[in-house]
Amino acid sequence: MKAILPTLIFFLTFHLALGQEDSRPNQQDYALSISKAVDKIKLDGVIEEKTWKEADIASDFWQKSPKDDIKAALKTEMMVSYDDNFFYVAAICHDSTNHVITTLKRDVGFWDGDAVGVVLDPLNQATSGFMFGTSPYGVQTEVLLGGGSGSENYNAQWDNRWFVETKRYQDKWTVEMAIPFKTLRYEAGRSIWGINFIRNDKKNNRIDGWARIPIQFWMIDLGYTGRLEWDTPPKRTKGNIAIIPYITGNYNQDFENNETANTSLDVGLDAKVALTPSLNLDLTVNPDFSQVEVDQQVTNLTRFNIFLPERRTFFLENSDIFTTVGFPLIQPFFSRRIGLDEDGRAVPIAFGARLTGNVTGTTRIGLLNAQTRATDDQLAQNYTAVAVSQRVLKRSRISAMFTNRQAFGDEGELQTDDYGRNASVKFNYSSEDGKWEGWAGGHKSFKEGFNNDDYFYQYGGGYGGKRLSAVVNHAYVGTNYFADMGFVNLIENANTVKDTTDVDADDDGFVTTTERLGFHSIFNSVEYRTIPENTA
């Protein structure tokens, strides 16, 4: 710890002394205007409407990878427009051949094949956004984006309704996208959005982008978007409500034993209500999540639990609001703890509500409450989470969260001694160009019978340059820090001792128990990247 603090102080003090720039990179050099469609756009992949002939064109792309300081080898032209219901994107992807590399599975193959995409930051504050992409064969990808380049800012589990058509020629392929305004979360009346365009040329192992992005950052980094200038800012969408009811039935009968048939009927619904274009309410009653894709099968050969991603639609939108206070080994909130037991088996959810999004241009909130029913293995539980994230210093933010798990008895009586509560606060610093980062957070748990060593804290910093990058992080987790609504790795440890109680199930003379042990986690990394000058 003593060795890390001076390094961290040097990182932050050195950069803060430089001061903040007046605007983010690319916001002045890359600007694209958007005008309302002058004729009806037929979504067929053929770029022939008058709207596209008159639209401002984003071209002259930069190569992003394997080099970031040369122009793209293939020409790409991107255009945008809109009407009362849709945000339109058109692309002309010139090529030297009609051969392409692609996959046919939605969401998973965008970066592994030829593709084109648009990155949108409707608030233009580099905190949250969207990516919509397609292959030459119209395979769709939609992603929720956070404010950085890491994988935690890329949520491909999100699914929503939008439309795309493509057409392939001998020397190019073209795209038309129609994205409903109801799918987007934006601030009505805002005349400037953040925007960037992506072109994957997999057969030549190249990635190109319109607004130039340094090689050390991911192509979806919202800190490097250009400006999208609206002729008339989009208005608030009306009637943005989606209701998805379900009915399931079950019939079982054992004919061999001549047993009476067993039948069951179940009903429920999910609803999504856009209270404002940037504030969303999710509701669920008796969900079964049968439409959700199953988890990837993983063989765990480690001593610790595997962090599997959330796939249930109810928990996905704006989920980063609840996770910004944690770090990879420890998350005070992990939505898979609601409605799933330790073995991944479903626990019936009676109802749930989530209110998430922006209440102002710089403030995001997340409110969640869910009630589960009792099972043979556990009592009924109520889960509550309240999170607030305030943007400061251009791209930095202060986040705070409180969570509460409360048990209820068979008759609905409150179990006053069966609860788990957590309070967290964290500051995440990011320079405007994203190269300098720093973070510090404190977290405390509240649980009956545990009053000491019930906290964890972390602090760290890093620099990500084109050639040199470095990260330093220190965290301490107390032995009695519990996160009943979260994910705490490494703290549960197997302790095998000689059996003196004559309860050894394996009859090998030993018995294994689980013991909680607090720990320090220290991580340091320094990397230097060499880039050959003749790389094309």
Side-chain angles (χ1 to χ4, degrees), residues 495-513:
N495 184 18
T496 302
V497 297
K498 188 171 180 60
D499 179 25
T500 59
T501 61
D502 198 29
V503 295
D504 177 22
D506 296 329
D507 196 27
D508 60 359
F510 294 89
V511 62
T512 299
T513 60

Side-chain angles (χ1 to χ4, degrees), residues 293-466:
E293 185 179 356
V294 299
D295 290 323
Q296 180 181 356
Q297 186 172 358
V298 178
T299 301
N300 184 9
L301 300 178
T302 73
R303 298 184 293 135
F304 308 106
N305 291 331
I306 294 175
F307 192 96
L308 294 172
E310 178 62 80
R311 299 178 184 274
R312 296 171 294 177
T313 305
F314 173 75
F315 295 100
L316 289 181
E317 188 157 346
N318 293 310
S319 59
D320 63 296
I321 298 175
F322 297 98
T323 59
T324 53
V325 297
F327 84 117
L329 292 178
I330 303 173
Q331 287 290 347
F333 178 86
F334 182 43
S335 59
R336 287 179 65 100
R337 297 298 295 268
I338 303 173
L340 293 171
D341 65 14
E342 294 289 343
D343 298 319
R345 295 172 299 190
V347 175
I349 296 177
F351 60 83
R354 287 173 83 249
L355 178 66
T356 58
N358 284 71
V359 292
T360 70
T362 59
T363 305
R364 303 176 72 204
I365 65 167
L367 307 175
L368 178 146
N369 184 264
Q371 178 74 38
T372 63
R373 297 190 177 94
T375 66
D376 294 337
D377 300 320
Q378 68 177 37
L379 297 173
Q381 306 285 333
N382 183 266
Y383 299 90
T384 301
V386 180
V388 179
S389 181
Q390 176 66 43
R391 184 176 64 86
V392 296
L393 299 175
K394 304 293 186 181
R395 291 191 67 183
S396 305
R397 60 190 171 190
I398 298 174
S399 303
M401 185 171 68
F402 177 78
T403 64
N404 179 51
R405 178 203 59 82
Q406 180 65 62
F408 291 85
D410 294 336
E411 302 299 325
E413 66 274 14
L414 181 71
Q415 303 295 297
T416 58
D417 60 348
D418 190 352
Y419 63 86
R421 297 165 186 151
N422 295 79
S424 304
V425 62
K426 187 178 181 183
F427 172 61
N428 285 88
Y429 169 77
S430 177
S431 64
E432 206 162 358
D433 59 9
K435 293 181 179 179
W436 291 90
E437 292 184 304
W439 51 88
H443 315 259
K444 181 173 173 58
S445 65
F446 305 87
K447 200 172 183 67
E448 183 74 15
F450 298 92
N451 298 312
N452 66 308
D453 206 19
D454 55 356
Y455 59 89
F456 99 82
Y457 62 82
Q458 65 164 144
Y459 57 89
Y463 171 77
K466 183 174 182 178

